[in-house]
Amino acid sequence: MEHVFPTVKRGQVIGLLGGSFDPAHEGHAHITRTAMNRFGLDRVWWLVSPGNPLKERGPAPMADRIHRAKQVMNDPRVIITGIEERLGTRYTAETIAALQKRYRGTRFVWIMGADNLAQFHRWQDWQTIMRSVPIGVVARPGHSTSAKTSKATQVFNTSQLLPRESRALGRSDAPKWCYVNLPMSDASSTAIRARGDWG
């Protein structure tokens, strides 16, 4: 399933959680469950990337990362996919544009942790991403202040939905973003690799 394009019903709201998932862990699953509940999503696709342009170290083989991700996130509403490899896209803005072209009539929401929002302005074409899809941001340990005061939040301050309005995000038109708190998981791929539990 990870090497084919997922099927969707017209009008569905699909959350997109991108990353190297090197390896996938409970923190990813925790963010996914929260996003589905809080942002009004019908499905979530994990986009296991060929490689993160912001990271110097290359990831483990794609097949290994997808296999691990399926073990971590066993939910029929969540699809683990290597679709970026199939699309031939490397940057998030390119991926979103390709998906919107391929899946006309489908609403996409980009999901990210607060740690990514804090440095979102470093992403390729980040303002294009903000104007292309609504963005759901989930709190991450130690990143609340840096995320809430980031360049992205300042530039798009007037586009923020309040947490109590979060379920409207999936049906909102970009630019729109929402930051929600939750009981946090401090799991991280970096810590797992450091312990030697992966790869």
Side-chain angles (χ1 to χ4, degrees):
M1 179 175 291
E2 67 271 13
H3 297 300
V4 299
F5 292 102
T7 57
V8 298
K9 296 178 181 178
R10 189 173 183 84
Q12 279 190 321
V13 182
I14 308 295
L16 303 174
L17 182 64
S20 55
F21 297 95
D22 188 27
H25 52 72
E26 177 53 31
H28 295 124
H30 192 48
I31 286 175
T32 300
R33 289 190 291 266
T34 299
M36 293 192 76
N37 292 333
R38 296 296 298 274
F39 300 135
L41 309 177
D42 297 308
R43 299 282 187 273
V44 171
W45 297 353
W46 282 15
L47 308 181
V48 182
S49 67
N52 184 338
L54 293 180
K55 294 184 178 180
E56 294 181 10
R57 175 186 175 274
M62 174 76 80
D64 293 347
R65 289 181 286 137
I66 288 177
H67 178 72
R68 162 80 177 224
K70 287 182 174 182
Q71 292 177 321
V72 170
M73 189 77 242
N74 185 17
D75 186 316
R77 299 170 299 171
V78 180
I79 294 180
I80 314 300
T81 172
I83 198 170
E84 284 184 302
E85 190 171 60
R86 285 294 301 272
L87 290 170
T89 57
R90 185 171 183 213
Y91 294 101
T92 299
E94 296 173 338
T95 299
I96 290 171
L99 289 174
Q100 288 177 326
K101 182 177 180 180
R102 187 175 187 90
Y103 293 96
R104 298 188 187 279
T106 300
R107 286 185 170 270
F108 291 106
V109 174
W110 188 262
I111 304 166
M112 67 169 67
D115 51 332
N116 281 315
L117 181 61
Q119 49 92 50
F120 189 46
H121 60 280
R122 295 176 55 207
W123 291 26
Q124 180 90 4
D125 298 323
W126 68 275
Q127 294 196 38
T128 298
I129 298 170
M130 288 289 285
R131 294 189 175 99
S132 298
V133 290
I135 296 180
V137 184
V138 179
R140 289 282 289 151
H143 294 280
S144 177
T145 300
S146 59
K148 291 179 179 179
T149 60
S150 68
K151 182 175 181 178
T153 62
Q154 293 172 33
V155 173
F156 288 92
N157 180 56
T158 59
S159 300
Q160 183 178 12
L161 285 180
L162 297 175
R164 65 174 179 268
E165 304 171 305
S166 63
R167 287 196 63 80
L169 185 69
R171 299 291 175 183
S172 298
D173 293 327
K176 198 67 73 177
W177 63 280
C178 185
Y179 183 105
V180 297
N181 288 303
L182 73 162
M184 295 191 196
S185 167
D186 61 2
S188 79
S189 298
T190 302
I192 292 171
R193 289 196 302 270
R195 291 196 306 266
D197 296 341
W198 165 251

Short mmCIF file of all heavy atoms in Angstrom, two decimals, residues 113-116 118 139-149 179 184:
data_model
loop_
_atom_site.label_atom_id
_atom_site.label_comp_id
_atom_site.label_asym_id
_atom_site.label_seq_id
_atom_site.Cartn_x
_atom_site.Cartn_y
_atom_site.Cartn_z
N GLY A 113 4.45 19.37 14.55
CA GLY A 113 4.67 19.63 15.95
C GLY A 113 5.16 21.05 16.14
O GLY A 113 5.66 21.68 15.20
N ALA A 114 5.04 21.56 17.35
CA ALA A 114 5.47 22.92 17.64
C ALA A 114 6.96 23.12 17.35
O ALA A 114 7.39 24.22 17.01
CB ALA A 114 5.16 23.26 19.09
N ASP A 115 7.76 22.05 17.48
CA ASP A 115 9.18 22.17 17.19
C ASP A 115 9.42 22.56 15.74
O ASP A 115 10.34 23.30 15.41
CB ASP A 115 9.92 20.87 17.53
CG ASP A 115 9.28 19.63 16.92
OD1 ASP A 115 8.05 19.63 16.70
OD2 ASP A 115 10.00 18.65 16.68
N ASN A 116 8.56 22.06 14.83
CA ASN A 116 8.69 22.44 13.42
C ASN A 116 8.19 23.86 13.16
O ASN A 116 8.76 24.57 12.34
CB ASN A 116 7.93 21.45 12.53
CG ASN A 116 8.69 20.17 12.31
OD1 ASN A 116 9.89 20.19 12.03
ND2 ASN A 116 8.03 19.04 12.44
N ALA A 118 8.50 26.33 15.09
CA ALA A 118 9.53 27.25 15.56
C ALA A 118 10.56 27.58 14.49
O ALA A 118 11.12 28.68 14.46
CB ALA A 118 10.22 26.68 16.80
N ALA A 139 1.33 20.87 20.24
CA ALA A 139 2.38 21.21 21.20
C ALA A 139 3.39 20.08 21.32
O ALA A 139 3.04 18.90 21.22
CB ALA A 139 1.76 21.50 22.57
N ARG A 140 4.66 20.47 21.52
CA ARG A 140 5.74 19.52 21.75
C ARG A 140 6.54 20.01 22.95
O ARG A 140 6.69 21.21 23.16
CB ARG A 140 6.66 19.43 20.52
CG ARG A 140 6.04 18.72 19.33
CD ARG A 140 6.04 17.22 19.47
NE ARG A 140 7.40 16.69 19.35
CZ ARG A 140 7.82 15.58 19.93
NH1 ARG A 140 7.01 14.89 20.71
NH2 ARG A 140 9.06 15.15 19.77
N PRO A 141 7.08 19.10 23.75
CA PRO A 141 7.81 19.50 24.96
C PRO A 141 8.94 20.47 24.67
O PRO A 141 9.74 20.26 23.75
CB PRO A 141 8.36 18.16 25.49
CG PRO A 141 7.46 17.12 24.93
CD PRO A 141 7.05 17.64 23.59
N GLY A 142 8.98 21.58 25.40
CA GLY A 142 10.08 22.52 25.31
C GLY A 142 10.05 23.47 24.14
O GLY A 142 11.01 24.22 23.92
N HIS A 143 8.96 23.48 23.36
CA HIS A 143 8.94 24.31 22.16
C HIS A 143 7.77 25.30 22.13
O HIS A 143 7.55 25.96 21.12
CB HIS A 143 8.88 23.43 20.90
CG HIS A 143 10.10 22.61 20.69
ND1 HIS A 143 11.26 23.13 20.13
CD2 HIS A 143 10.38 21.32 20.99
CE1 HIS A 143 12.18 22.17 20.08
NE2 HIS A 143 11.67 21.07 20.59
N SER A 144 7.02 25.40 23.21
CA SER A 144 5.84 26.26 23.21
C SER A 144 6.18 27.72 22.94
O SER A 144 5.61 28.35 22.05
CB SER A 144 5.10 26.13 24.55
OG SER A 144 4.00 27.01 24.60
N THR A 145 7.13 28.25 23.68
CA THR A 145 7.46 29.67 23.54
C THR A 145 8.07 29.97 22.18
O THR A 145 7.67 30.93 21.49
CB THR A 145 8.44 30.12 24.64
OG1 THR A 145 7.83 29.90 25.91
CG2 THR A 145 8.78 31.58 24.49
N SER A 146 9.03 29.15 21.75
CA SER A 146 9.69 29.40 20.46
C SER A 146 8.71 29.27 19.30
O SER A 146 8.81 30.00 18.31
CB SER A 146 10.87 28.45 20.27
OG SER A 146 10.45 27.10 20.31
N ALA A 147 7.73 28.37 19.42
CA ALA A 147 6.74 28.21 18.36
C ALA A 147 5.79 29.40 18.31
O ALA A 147 5.51 29.95 17.24
CB ALA A 147 5.95 26.92 18.57
N LYS A 148 5.32 29.81 19.48
CA LYS A 148 4.33 30.89 19.53
C LYS A 148 4.92 32.26 19.19
O LYS A 148 4.17 33.18 18.88
CB LYS A 148 3.67 30.92 20.91
CG LYS A 148 2.78 29.71 21.17
CD LYS A 148 2.16 29.75 22.55
CE LYS A 148 1.26 28.54 22.78
NZ LYS A 148 0.66 28.55 24.13
N THR A 149 6.23 32.37 19.24
CA THR A 149 6.87 33.65 18.90
C THR A 149 7.68 33.55 17.60
O THR A 149 8.47 34.43 17.30
CB THR A 149 7.81 34.11 20.04
OG1 THR A 149 8.82 33.10 20.25
CG2 THR A 149 7.03 34.32 21.32
N TYR A 179 -3.05 26.22 16.82
CA TYR A 179 -2.11 25.61 17.76
C TYR A 179 -2.91 25.02 18.91
O TYR A 179 -3.71 25.71 19.53
CB TYR A 179 -1.15 26.68 18.28
CG TYR A 179 -0.06 26.19 19.21
CD1 TYR A 179 1.25 26.07 18.77
CD2 TYR A 179 -0.33 25.85 20.54
CE1 TYR A 179 2.26 25.62 19.62
CE2 TYR A 179 0.66 25.41 21.40
CZ TYR A 179 1.95 25.30 20.94
OH TYR A 179 2.94 24.86 21.78
N MET A 184 1.57 15.88 26.72
CA MET A 184 2.67 15.71 25.80
C MET A 184 3.39 14.38 25.91
O MET A 184 3.48 13.80 26.99
CB MET A 184 3.68 16.85 25.99
CG MET A 184 3.13 18.21 25.63
SD MET A 184 4.45 19.43 25.58
CE MET A 184 3.48 20.95 25.62
#
